[in-house]
Amino acid sequence: MSSVFSKDKVINKNNPMPLYYQLKEILLEYITNQHTDLDVPIPPEVEISAHFEISRPTVRQAINELVVEGYLFRVKGKGTFVSKSKINQSFLRELDSFNNEMREKGLHPSTKVLRATVINSDRKISEALQIPFGMEVIELRRLRFANDEPIVSVITYLPYEKCKAILSKDLENESLYQILQDECGYILKKAVRQLEASLVGEYEAELLRVERGAPIQYIKTITYLSDDTPIEYSLAKYRGDRNKFTFEIER
């Protein structure tokens, strides 16, 4: 084939490093520095296999790892494509609204409300919000976008009696935090967040437009008022291929 790979990029079969890993590093450099057209797939497995004189299963293993890590994604019948650059989220470091954060990054935010209703709290919700079991809470399910691309699905629970005003608001165009501040009169003091790596289920995969089993960042949040009373309990699932989180630590 007419190779797109640099001639100095070779796989050393005498190297103790696994062949698939050597290829993975070559592909990572290629998709980072050379493959600039995101609408064009990378060379197919058969061509990569022939060029580097390695087996297709070895090529597939290298590509699979890059897919799992979010550098590549597959489109059935079309090929394997390079993913867009990930959005560097400040969600774990700052208590700010999704809309403000996206705008600061030069992205256009939007929200689709999937469900806004009142339910009775289960034990996990009651524990998180420090309320009696079975107490009425608002359940708010939203799908949030950046430049019309789904980025995160969120389920939020709030005590109904304290937050009932939000049900009359336009939650697709108004900030939840701003409503809590302006309409409910609350001062948000802090949020405690837990980050876990997970795999997306069938329902969320459809919402986020990714394959079932794709990696996601699963974040649980409890937001507190100025008197340390919990006011919000949220479960957010961020697309692993479109988001990354940066931590700043000082000594």
Side-chain angles (χ1 to χ4, degrees), residues 100-196:
N100 286 345
E101 187 175 351
M102 292 302 102
R103 291 190 186 106
E104 287 177 1
K105 293 173 170 51
L107 302 171
H108 172 67
S110 57
T111 298
K112 180 179 181 181
V113 175
L114 305 174
R115 176 181 170 92
T117 190
V118 179
I119 65 169
N120 297 111
S121 63
D122 61 20
R123 298 199 181 278
K124 286 188 177 180
I125 298 171
S126 298
E127 181 180 347
L129 293 176
Q130 296 177 19
I131 58 176
F133 172 74
M135 188 173 178
E136 287 188 326
V137 294
I138 296 170
E139 180 189 73
L140 177 60
R141 294 176 179 258
R142 292 171 293 171
L143 185 61
R144 317 208 72 170
F145 301 77
N147 292 349
D148 298 321
E149 182 178 35
I151 295 298
V152 55
S153 70
V154 191
I155 305 175
T156 300
Y157 300 98
L158 308 107
Y160 172 70
E161 287 299 326
K162 292 181 178 180
C163 304
K164 63 176 69 174
I166 74 166
L167 290 176
S168 63
K169 296 298 178 178
D170 181 2
L171 294 169
E172 294 194 345
N173 294 294
E174 297 183 58
S175 164
L176 175 62
Y177 283 178
Q178 203 67 44
I179 295 171
L180 289 175
Q181 176 180 298
D182 296 344
E183 300 296 328
C184 302
Y186 297 132
I187 299 175
L188 305 181
K189 176 184 177 182
K190 66 179 181 180
V192 176
R193 293 186 166 121
Q194 296 180 339
L195 171 64
E196 301 176 16

